[in-house]
Amino acid sequence: MDGISALGAGTGTAIHTLSDYRHHLKRNMIQALDTIQANQITTLLFVVSKLDPIQKTLGTDYVLPLWAIDPTASNPIRVSIYRRSVESMPDVRGPGDIVYFEGAKTGLKDGKCCVYNNFSTRWQVLHGGQNGGHEVLEYMSAWWKGWQASNVQQASNVQQTTIVPQTTNVQTSNVQITPIAKQKSTSRFNTAYLKQISNVSFDKFSDLLLEVLHVLPREQESPTYGGMMQRCLVTDYSENPLLTNTDIMDTRVVGNRAAWLTVHQIDKLNKMPTLVVGQKYWMRNVRGASSTRGLHLVLAPHTRFPRTIMVVEVEDSHPDLAPMMERRKRMLDSVGEGVQNTIAMECDVDGPMVSAHVAIEPVAIEPISKSPEHSKRTDKHVAWTSALVMPISTICSGYQLTTRFHVRAKISKIFPPTADQSIVSVCTSCSTRYDSDHPNVCLGCQRPDPLYREECQFMLELTDASAKCLAMSPNAETASKLAGHKLQTSVDSASVSSSAVHALRGVWAWVHARGEVEWINLLVAPVLVPGPGPTGTLVRCLIVADIAHPLPILT
């Protein structure tokens, strides 16, 4: 393997300091080892410092124990990888291997933080002695060589040093030490409990300075609380790997920076201000809670002191907002650079991807709520089509996975060669493709004698003025949007061939005839998918989520 595909192409700038290394980790949405806590789901990049043989557990699984370290960690952290078979273990060969670990879980063992995998964890391994051609991997390889050499030198010094007892003359000093008085905070908001969203974890309370991005109408509270409740989307522009953007359509806030906040009994909070989009607030005693979509925030009246003011409006000019506004500026600048590159690009005669009058700050796409009254929105495709077009090269090189973006591109190629080959058998449990070499076990979920169903999957090569990239059409629903025809797939291959394949042949014919000429507006998201080779190998590509208009297929 030449490198780790999840890191993208890189910037080409060498890393010389630890702060630059941390910046590159955040850019690739990777957490440093010295910042992980128990009960997290996160993405890590580490060097193997020690490797133990694979062991059989008391059950039916196998475990690969190893110890991980990176330039930020003072001591190695234990990592345990559990798999159903020895053959499905990652190809870790020894100390010095660099491992990319996505979707890892953290826990506590003997009072120390540890890491282990779960059902959805994916990995890539770069063996020792290879730099991978990426500045982060080159820095880690160089650091590992220095760390290994320093440990050998320290061990040598311990063996060779002879301790000689010395006599010390103790003298009384007349210097008086004046204790430093504890300085009190001069701000109402800068309390000892003030944190950033990046430091919020499950079942922990903290004070937060937040900006409101979107507000939903008030609704009736559950019988547990009574009264009224309100949900809103908030951010302080810090990143937390426990957050997810799968239901957030706001291109101004990229990465794991936005969180849903539920305010319980909002009608009973003392002096509760009206929540307004764009306004900043200081919120007290906010709790981190778990949900099916990761971390979300909860605010409720204080049980012992119900008259406590929990929410206060904060002016934009307040000095305590300076760190948050600086994080906001850095994030918008990073997005603005991609927009400027897009405006400066020259396209063919069909016209530019972005008109010259588009503002540098991206257009916000309204969030899609999971509440029942907002679950059936008919205008959500209109929201993303009005958002700013992003260049493919910018999305593939540095944006958070599963964040959706509007692109305008040409479909230059389509794979496989024929529409008939796009109908594949996948596992009903994990959607892993059927492997004829292992007919009695699913390579994804490791289940024996799995059930399979027919699915429609194919790849598109998208081309804009900045780059080319593969984009996956993962299922029949997405293929139906492209074809403009409802595709029915089932385990009955005869019915699939009669209707679905016939419609798909029109897609193939259009791509071959008009794909390199016409521009198409698509909603895509960068993801990691299993690539060719051993189990666990990941390839970065785009996944098609929606299309503005079906392809103009001639029938």
Side-chain angles (χ1 to χ4, degrees):
M1 182 182 300
D2 296 329
I4 294 180
S5 59
L7 296 178
T11 61
T13 305
I15 302 175
H16 301 288
T17 63
L18 186 60
S19 60
D20 291 341
Y21 171 75
R22 291 182 183 273
H23 172 74
H24 279 71
L25 288 187
K26 290 182 179 180
R27 181 177 177 271
N28 290 278
M29 302 309 300
I30 298 173
Q31 191 171 2
L33 290 184
D34 67 339
T35 62
I36 64 173
Q37 301 175 353
N39 301 321
Q40 286 184 331
I41 298 178
T42 184
T43 299
L44 303 174
L45 183 69
F46 56 81
V47 182
V48 177
S49 63
K50 182 183 177 183
L51 179 66
D52 285 350
I54 298 177
Q55 304 171 9
K56 185 74 167 60
T57 64
L58 297 178
T60 60
D61 295 340
Y62 293 85
V63 60
L64 173 62
L66 56 89
W67 275 258
I69 195 167
D70 73 352
T72 68
S74 56
N75 295 304
I77 296 177
R78 182 182 178 91
V79 178
S80 300
I81 302 177
Y82 294 89
R83 299 293 289 173
R84 291 287 180 89
S85 63
V86 177
E87 292 76 14
S88 61
M89 285 287 184
D91 185 21
V92 182
R93 301 176 184 176
D97 286 1
I98 300 178
V99 180
Y100 175 83
F101 218 46
E102 181 197 6
K105 286 188 175 182
T106 61
L108 286 176
K109 186 172 183 179
D110 299 330
K112 298 181 179 180
C113 190
C114 61
V115 180
Y116 55 96
N117 64 312
N118 61 13
F119 174 75
S120 60
T121 302
R122 299 188 182 276
W123 54 79
Q124 280 187 274
V125 182
L126 183 68
H127 300 302
Q130 302 176 0
N131 57 26
H134 193 283
E135 57 267 16
V136 174
L137 302 179
E138 291 176 353
Y139 180 81
M140 295 185 72
S141 298
W143 170 85
W144 166 251
K145 294 178 182 178
W147 185 85
Q148 203 174 24
S150 63
N151 281 0
V152 172
Q153 183 64 33
Q154 289 177 4
S156 176
N157 293 340
V158 170
Q159 295 176 356
Q160 297 177 6
T161 301
T162 303
I163 301 177
V164 180
Q166 298 179 351
T167 58
T168 304
N169 295 326
V170 180
Q171 298 180 354
T172 304
S173 175
N174 295 326
V175 178
Q176 295 182 355
I177 301 176
T178 303
I180 300 176
K182 185 177 181 181
Q183 298 181 354
K184 296 183 178 180
S185 174
T186 58
S187 172
R188 174 183 181 182
F189 309 124
N190 191 15
T191 65
Y193 303 99
L194 182 65
K195 293 183 179 180
Q196 298 178 11
I197 286 182
S198 59
N199 298 322
V200 175
S201 57
F202 297 122
D203 297 324
K204 300 294 183 182
F205 291 87
S206 55
D207 298 347
L208 300 173
L209 283 168
L210 302 170
E211 177 182 347
V212 173
L213 300 175
H214 183 71
V215 180
L216 297 179
R218 293 191 181 188
E219 54 187 282
Q220 191 66 34
E221 186 66 271
S222 64
T224 305
Y225 292 94
M228 303 295 293
M229 63 169 286
Q230 190 169 21
R231 298 178 71 239
C232 59
L233 189 66
V234 297
T235 184
D236 66 355
Y237 299 97
S238 66
E239 298 176 274
N240 191 322
L242 299 178
L243 298 175
T244 176
N245 280 25
T246 53
D247 62 340
I248 296 173
M249 295 290 294
D250 192 330
T251 54
R252 292 180 302 123
V253 183
V254 295
N256 300 64
R257 291 183 171 94
W260 283 106
L261 169 70
T262 302
V263 184
H264 292 291
Q265 298 180 311
I266 190 171
D267 53 330
K268 298 181 182 179
L269 286 174
N270 187 23
K271 298 183 179 180
M272 176 67 194
T274 302
L275 297 178
V276 179
V277 174
Q279 178 63 46
K280 283 73 174 178
Y281 299 91
W282 176 59
M283 299 188 181
R284 300 184 61 183
N285 217 35
V286 178
R287 179 174 65 89
S290 61
S291 69
T292 56
R293 301 194 302 272
L295 175 72
H296 74 276
L297 307 177
V298 175
L299 177 64
H302 201 290
T303 54
R304 293 183 58 188
F305 307 102
R307 301 301 300 168
T308 301
I309 297 177
M310 308 297 291
V311 181
V312 178
E313 290 186 3
V314 183
E315 297 295 331
D316 290 354
S317 58
H318 197 283
D320 284 347
L321 288 180
M324 184 178 77
M325 301 306 289
E326 178 62 26
R327 293 192 299 270
R328 180 181 187 274
K329 181 179 182 300
R330 287 199 303 266
M331 188 203 68
L332 291 180
D333 287 346
S334 65
V335 178
E337 291 174 1
V339 177
Q340 290 175 336
N341 294 335
T342 306
I343 296 176
M345 291 173 188
E346 295 183 358
C347 300
D348 19 4
V349 295
D350 291 325
M353 294 170 58
V354 182
S355 58
H357 66 272
V358 174
I360 294 301
E361 183 170 335
V363 179
I365 305 179
E366 188 169 334
I368 299 175
S369 171
K370 295 294 183 179
S371 301
E373 64 271 23
H374 297 275
S375 59
K376 297 182 179 179
R377 295 183 54 133
T378 59
D379 60 339
K380 63 180 180 180
H381 74 281
V382 179
W384 72 259
T385 53
S386 63
L388 193 65
V389 175
M390 297 297 290
I392 291 177
S393 60
T394 304
I395 298 173
C396 293
S397 62
Y399 278 102
Q400 160 67 3
L401 299 175
T402 71
T403 302
R404 294 176 283 183
F405 297 96
H406 178 197
V407 300
R408 189 164 189 252
K410 300 174 182 178
I411 305 177
S412 52
K413 292 181 182 178
I414 188 169
F415 308 96
T418 64
D420 303 64
Q421 297 172 335
S422 66
I423 305 298
V424 296
S425 297
V426 298
C427 176
T428 56
S429 300
C430 65
S431 297
T432 300
R433 285 196 181 190
Y434 170 79
D435 190 336
S436 58
D437 295 333
H438 303 84
N440 298 324
V441 63
C442 174
L443 296 182
C445 59
Q446 303 290 313
R447 292 189 176 183
D449 300 324
L451 297 177
Y452 289 96
R453 58 181 172 84
E454 299 297 321
E455 187 58 271
C456 176
Q457 295 180 350
F458 54 89
M459 302 290 291
L460 305 174
E461 183 185 70
L462 302 182
T463 304
D464 67 0
S466 65
K468 292 183 179 180
C469 182
L470 292 178
M472 173 187 291
S473 175
N475 49 42
E477 181 180 357
T478 304
S480 300
K481 296 177 181 178
L482 293 170
H485 175 76
K486 182 65 175 178
L487 303 181
Q488 299 290 340
T489 59
S490 66
V491 294
D492 184 0
S493 58
S495 64
V496 170
S497 300
S498 61
S499 59
V501 174
H502 177 74
L504 290 172
R505 286 171 181 168
V507 176
W508 260 251
W510 184 90
V511 171
H512 293 152
R514 303 288 300 170
E516 296 185 354
V517 179
E518 297 191 19
W519 293 94
I520 304 297
N521 290 285
L522 298 166
L523 182 66
V524 300
V527 296
L528 294 177
V529 298
T535 303
T537 302
L538 300 177
V539 177
R540 178 187 287 264
C541 75
L542 300 181
I543 189 168
V544 178
D546 200 359
I547 185 171
H549 303 285
L551 299 179
I553 301 173
L554 297 177
T555 57

